[in-house]
Structures are given as C-alpha cells and as structure tokens.
Amino acid sequence: MQSEQRQRAIRSFEEFLRTPLEERLQQQQSRDSESKMLSLFQNVAATVPAYRVFLAASNINPAAIQTFADFQKLPLITKENYLRCYPLPQLCRQGKLETCDFIAVSSGSTGNPTFWPRFIGDELQIADRFEQIFHDCFYADNRRTLAVICFALGTWVGGMYTANCCRYLASKGYPVTVVTPGNNKTEILRVVRELGEHFEQVVLLGYPPFIKDAIDSGIAAGMEWQKYRIKMVFAGEVFSEEWRSLVSDRTNFNTHSDTNFDRSAGIDGTECSQLKTQNSKLKTPEQMSTDSIYYSSASLYGTADAGVLGNETPLSICIRRWLANNPEAARNLFGESRLPTLVQYDPNSRFFEVNEDGTLLFSGDNGIPLIRYHISDNGGLISYEEMLDFLAEWGFNPAEHLQQAAGMENADFPRGIRQLPFVYVFGRSHFTVSYFGANVYPENVTVGLEVPEIREWVTGKFVLQVKEDADRNRLLSIVVELAAGVEGDEEKTSAIASSILSQLRRLNSEFANYVPPEYQLPVVTLTAMGDPEYFPIGVKHRYTRQ
C-alpha cells in the first residue's frame, strides 16, 4: 500500500470539495504565477529523473535558476527532444509510474500511442475549468443538469477525462448527473429522449462537428431539442461564430439573445420565422440570462499532454462575437484576419509564454510535469486589462453588453466576468489539421498515395484541409496533384480516396476512433500538374491549408 499516495488523494479531494470556486480562483489570482513556476521548476528538477538528465545535457545547473529571467532561458521541451527520449517511469516523479493512478492515450503522426499518466490531483485542478463553465455559463449550481459525454471513450483522453471531471462536480454538490454514451449517436439520442425530461437542462460535451451531426440527426428523427434546454461544451477544434449561432438555434432557438451579432448566416427566412415564434413565450430574467448564446455553450482549449489549458467564458464569447462582426478590430488585436479561439486561463495552473516564432509554450504540474513545453500552437497572450482597454478604444464594453443580454441591468448579473488573462489560439503551426478532434497528419495521407498503381498516377503532392458544406458539416478535403500526362476520372478518384482512408484508419488511431464512420471517407479532388491554385510551379509546397 502507498500511504503517501492515499494522503495526497485525500488532501486534493478535500480541498476541491470544501473550497468554493470563487475562493479557489481568488487563491490562485493572489499568488505570484512567476514565482510559482520557479518553485515548480526546482521541484521537477529535483524529483523527475528524466528532467535532471535533460538539464544536464544542456549543462544547466538547477541551482543557478533563481529568477524568472533565468527561467525564460531554460530549453524548450517537446515530444521529440524529451517525452520520446526517456522511459515513461523516468518522466514521472521519483521515476515511479505507480504514483499515477490513470493513463490516457493519444496518437502521434505515425499512429504510435503516446501515454499520459496522471493522478486524481491532476484531474481536480482541471475540474476547476469545468466548474467555471458549469457554474458561470450554465448556472448548474442550482439547476438539475444531465451531462452527456459525447467524446470517444476507451483509452482516449477526452472522454474519460471529461466524465471524471463532471463527476467531481457532482461530488462537490452540484446537481449534475453524468451519462456516457460516447460518440454513439443512436445512444446519445436515446439517453437525451429518455432521461432529459427529468432534468432542467442537458449538456452535450464533445467535438464540435460531432455535436452538430448528433443535433442534425436528432432533428431528422423528430427530436424536439428545445424541450431539454440544451447546453454544449466543445473541445478540439476552432469554429466560427456563425457555426455557434447555427447549432444554438437548432437546439435552443436563441435568436433573441444576441443583438450584437449577425446571425442570418445559414438560416433561411422560414427558419427565422419559426425561431421567432418559438421565442415568443415570456421568460424570466434568469432564464433569459442562461438561455443567452453567451451562456449556452463554451469551448475548452486542451491537450492530451496536460488536460484543459483554458476555457471560454461568457466574457470571452461576448468579445469574440463582437470581433467576428468587427474584422478590422480583430486584425488589430490578433495580427491576422482569421478569428482564433479565445479563452481565459489561470496562470497558476497553466502558465503560458509566447515563443519567438509566435507559438505558445506552457508549464504546469501533471503526472508528467512539463516545464516550458512547446505545443506548436500559433497564438498569443492578452492580459485582462489590456483586453478591456483595447475594446474601450473601439467603443465596446462587454460587461454592459452581457448585462443587457441578461435583461437585468441593475441586478447581480452577469456571471462569468473574471479577471483572468486571455490566450488566443489559431491552431497547430506544424502541418496538421484537426478533424472531429483527431489530428490528421500529411504523413498518413502520403502512405495512401504510395501504394502500387496509385503512385503511378500522382506526383505525391496534395493539399489537406477541413471544409464545411452549405449546411456547415465538416468534410476532410484532399486535393491531389496528378502526374504528367495522367487524366483524372471517377475510378481514380474513388481508388485514391479508399486508399487514403485505409491508411488513415491503419496509421491514425485517433482518426479511426474519433471520426464517425460516415465522415471518414475523404473528399478527393484531382488536379493537373502545376495547378495554379494548389500546386503553383516554383513555390514551396505546403501540404495543409487552414
């Protein structure tokens, strides 16, 4: 028996159960995050065998790291230079894998699994992010809530992590009940139909395109989603605010709640008329607040490596929707015309830095502690004060807008305004695309083009991207360059798509388990060699396109 581990679990669980969210966040905000990261570094250097060897290889004496400036000079760690270079136990404290009580799995570019051990205490600090959403967005502290886990289950990190964190909220006293159909649409619809009427609201938690697909399948089957006061928690993909409006309208008919955003995209006149009819019923101010689009969904920014790094809040959603309607302001703020995911984060839980190339680093405690871990996500950081000052310069006050959406300008509304910094994320900088939460890598596609016969038809160049159809369903698009003198036809297109699909399923276990079967077959387009749009001659080729 490991008595120390038992006591560690008791301390972590007691602290989580006994401390209200407000107090936990205030405790964190009162701490100096830079000093905490220095302490974490010293602890990891002293207790994690692999990290000691890693530092020694760079001629770094841990005792010499005394200031935050010193900390910022520490070498970055990655999967390639650290995690894959040492036995799994050596990445854990004291070299003991057995001090972690759970192992999750994610897949790399070759399909080889990466294992992520963790302890209950690691999950409890991540449960704070779920509590923020359930408390601040969904008012689940005083509303009977059914949490439906729609992430893939099994060893995959998303489903079990989410289910555990939601159960911790129930243990804390939230009237939350968890059910785990996983990414089985038939079972999702069944549990919502049969259990939803016993609760005041139903929360669907899953990857954005899969949640939309489940919603659309329910509508086709005659599901009256609005009966269940649907809320949604997303992870794994960047989506547009038009997309948020669409799925919100199809579940809750929220057209009344967001006067600051053009919600007409994707909705025809007949639908709008029906939605307005649904909204004609009088609602209490509290219902108006929690039915508002700012309070009906939230996205998590997370990784298999370290759980949830940040989460959308009513404040961040309000700001992002305003920026979606004000592209000039968005370009000034983010430096790009595309709209990133925008979340708030706790720097004492996950401490972010921005690398010289505009990619993000973070440090945080976990089953495998990570110090200055380079996750290759393009993005940046904005403090709370900087964000509000920027918006004020553009004449926008998000707090006032949230109060107006709540319908109670003089009351204790709205929830969800916390003085936490912002991190924005455009996506992975290396050549991958995210599809139903699975990272799809060019290497997987290449193998499908290298099989006999097919390799005679193509040059090996292709462009991989995720597109949306007119109904905003996600499609995996692959444009393939034909070899000189080869003409495309339906037979070649079908053969190439089938070959790529076979290799994706074989090599990429995330793809095989996360993506619903009906969405797995890629949409292949064949072009002539040197196509100016996709394969211009004399230009360095990029295999992915966002």
Side-chain angles (χ1 to χ4, degrees), residues 288-433:
M288 287 183 67
S289 174
T290 56
D291 284 347
S292 162
I293 200 163
Y294 309 121
Y295 294 86
S296 62
S297 67
S299 185
L300 301 167
Y301 171 36
T303 81
D305 320 52
V308 178
L309 307 178
N311 57 277
E312 282 192 325
T313 62
L315 178 63
S316 74
I317 294 170
C318 182
I319 292 170
R320 189 174 190 260
R321 290 180 74 78
W322 182 84
L323 289 167
N325 264 350
N326 293 270
E328 185 180 352
R331 282 192 294 272
N332 275 270
L333 184 62
F334 301 125
E336 294 196 31
S337 56
R338 54 181 174 151
L339 194 65
T341 293
L342 179 67
V343 303
Q344 291 183 273
Y345 71 100
D346 179 354
N348 283 288
S349 173
R350 296 293 182 260
F351 183 85
F352 279 99
E353 301 172 75
V354 180
N355 198 25
E356 296 174 352
D357 62 357
T359 54
L360 296 170
L361 326 171
F362 75 85
S363 302
D365 206 352
N366 208 37
I368 297 177
L370 299 171
I371 302 295
R372 308 200 78 214
Y373 183 56
H374 189 220
I375 49 176
S376 299
D377 281 342
N378 285 321
L381 308 176
I382 305 171
S383 73
Y384 178 83
E385 294 78 12
E386 288 172 338
M387 177 66 82
L388 293 191
D389 288 346
F390 174 86
L391 295 171
E393 291 176 3
W394 286 81
F396 181 60
N397 186 324
E400 287 183 1
H401 188 75
L402 285 173
Q403 286 181 324
Q404 292 168 6
M408 294 188 69
E409 296 183 23
N410 298 318
D412 185 22
F413 277 97
R415 289 190 184 189
I417 297 182
R418 299 191 183 276
Q419 296 185 23
L420 294 168
F422 295 83
V423 56
Y424 60 90
V425 189
F426 289 110
R428 291 291 161 92
S429 63
H430 51 66
F431 300 149
T432 67
V433 299

Side-chain angles (χ1 to χ4, degrees), residues 161-228:
Y161 215 128
T162 302
N164 287 348
C165 287
C166 289
R167 290 193 72 186
Y168 297 147
L169 298 186
S171 299
K172 193 168 184 173
Y174 283 78
V176 171
T177 303
V178 183
V179 62
T180 56
N183 57 348
N184 182 323
K185 284 189 295 184
T186 301
E187 189 67 4
I188 291 167
L189 300 183
R190 187 180 75 84
V191 299
V192 172
R193 277 199 182 103
E194 296 188 18
L195 298 176
E197 64 185 25
H198 303 300
F199 296 85
E200 294 173 88
Q201 63 183 359
V202 174
V203 181
L204 305 176
L205 302 97
Y207 295 113
F210 180 79
I211 292 294
K212 180 185 180 296
D213 187 38
I215 290 167
D216 289 347
S217 297
I219 292 172
M223 195 95 158
E224 297 180 67
W225 288 106
Q226 67 272 25
K227 288 170 46 177
Y228 307 106

